[in-house]
Each structure stands twice: as C-alpha cells, then as structure tokens.
Amino acid sequence: MTIKDTAQAWEIRATGTPFVGKKTSVRTDEVVMPDGSVVHRDYQVHPGSVAVLALDDEDRVLLIKQYRHPVRQKLWEIPAGLLDVPGENPLHAAQRELYEEAHVKAEDWRVLTDVYTTPGGCDEAVRVFLARGLSEADGERFAVEDEETDMEHARVPVDELVRGVLAGELHNNCLVVGVLSLVAARGGEGLDALRPAQAPWPARPFEA
C-alpha cells in the first residue's frame, strides 16, 4: 500500500457563497456521500499562501513576531503571505515576502514541504520554502501597515525552536511544520536533496 494523498472530487449538487470578505470567502456545498445521502459542508475559500524558513550561516532561523487577532496572541512566525494573484509563481511570492517582512534576500531556494493548514474547514494550501545564503536586501525597506507596524524580529537557533515547539511554546503552523521538516530533512537525505524551488504544486498550479 502506497501512503500518498490522492485527488478526488465527490459530486456537488449545489453550491453557494454566503459570505465574501476582502481576501477569503465562505462556501456552502451540497455534497453527495458514498451512500447517496446529501450533506452540507461549509468551508473557507482561500487563495493559498507561501512561507519561508530562512536559515542563516549560524544555523539560526529568521523569525518575526506579529499580533494575530483571531487567537488574541502575538506569535513567533516565519515570513509568510498570501498568493494575491491567481496563478502567481509561489517562489516569486516567497521572495517578495522575505523582502517585505525582513528586508532579506537569499541565494538558495528549495521546497521544504507543502501542507493544507486546516483541510476540514478551509482549502488553504501553503508551500513552505527553505531559503539559504541570506544577505541584506537592496533598496529601501518596505512600508509596513496594520499589525506589521508592531512586528518584532529575531534570529533563533534551530535547536531552541525545536525545544519550543515540543514544549508547546510556539504555535504558528508554518513555523512548526517548517522547523520539524528541516530537522527531518537533515536526518534523511540532506537539505540538498529537497525538491527544487520550481517543483510542481498541484494544489496551486503556476507557470514557472
């Protein structure tokens, strides 16, 4: 038996969009179950996201701390952002987010992992990149707004982040998934064996 997620689309008898927000919406589908019954499924429709685990030469991860209103906490996170344009190349979006949130650029980019954040209630797909060969970006810093005006920055050793994740002190999903994936990759075939930065992404197809 091959342990691999597979594409499948059950019949939808009807669909509606009871709420449309600035970036996301809520959809209600009438879905036909295997026994022929029809049930309603509500879920958030999301454009998708990218995140960047930026690793410096001292084995530290670049972090930002930002207020997240839904959970009423300031969370340590890795740089991340929405795929604002349909079909946008995720690598380009990741490079933009690293520049805007940390004023940093990277020479080496690879795909660390792809995840669905909450597939039971949202279709958000996130591609987490590994970025190495870090240096200060050129030009002026990006003008931040809203929650980003209160953003903090830090570079934290990988081992310290692993400890914080397992101790229940760090909760951002991209940070948790990214750091643990990094450790797993190192313990496997190594970071250079990770997928290339332009690897296909069926969840959010794009043009290279």
Side-chain angles (χ1 to χ4, degrees):
M1 180 179 179
T2 301
I3 305 300
K4 181 179 179 180
D5 296 337
T6 55
Q8 190 170 113
W10 290 5
E11 180 185 353
I12 298 174
R13 292 281 175 86
T15 188
T17 307
F19 170 80
V20 177
K22 183 178 179 180
K23 296 292 185 180
T24 66
S25 61
V26 173
R27 182 174 296 162
T28 298
D29 291 340
E30 294 182 8
V31 186
V32 180
M33 297 288 104
D35 64 0
S37 62
V38 179
V39 301
H40 289 81
R41 291 290 178 262
D42 302 318
Y43 58 99
Q44 183 184 21
V45 179
H46 194 285
S49 306
V50 291
V52 185
L53 192 143
L55 187 68
D56 70 14
D57 293 339
E58 297 180 43
D59 206 40
R60 301 175 302 175
V61 176
L62 190 157
L63 300 183
I64 59 176
K65 193 176 188 182
Q66 186 172 346
Y67 176 66
R68 295 301 187 182
H69 186 69
V71 296
R72 308 299 197 273
Q73 291 191 25
K74 288 189 74 173
L75 302 179
W76 283 109
E77 307 177 351
I78 56 178
L82 298 175
L83 291 168
D84 294 311
V85 181
E88 182 178 16
N89 187 305
L91 174 60
H92 299 166
Q95 291 170 332
R96 179 187 69 235
E97 293 300 331
L98 185 61
Y99 161 72
E100 291 182 356
E101 296 192 348
H103 201 66
V104 167
K105 61 183 179 179
E107 295 298 322
D108 185 85
W109 290 82
R110 298 176 188 269
V111 175
L112 192 51
T113 190
D114 299 322
V115 295
Y116 291 113
T117 55
T118 49
C122 179
D123 71 351
E124 181 183 13
V126 180
R127 169 156 281 189
V128 183
F129 288 91
L130 171 66
R132 294 179 291 176
L134 308 184
S135 61
E136 188 82 0
D138 301 324
E140 296 182 1
R141 286 187 172 272
F142 182 76
V144 297
E145 58 184 13
D146 301 329
E147 290 91 344
E148 294 179 349
T149 60
D150 191 42
M151 188 181 291
E152 301 174 46
H153 295 80
R155 295 196 181 200
V156 183
V158 172
D159 290 346
E160 184 175 336
L161 293 177
V162 172
R163 184 207 61 76
V165 167
L166 298 180
E169 298 170 356
L170 300 170
H171 305 89
N172 175 261
N173 60 343
C174 291
L175 171 60
V176 172
V177 170
V179 167
L180 298 186
S181 295
L182 173 72
V183 173
R186 284 175 164 174
E189 298 180 6
L191 300 184
D192 290 335
L194 290 169
R195 286 173 292 161
Q198 299 279 16
W201 189 17
R204 293 293 185 274
F206 64 93
E207 292 186 8

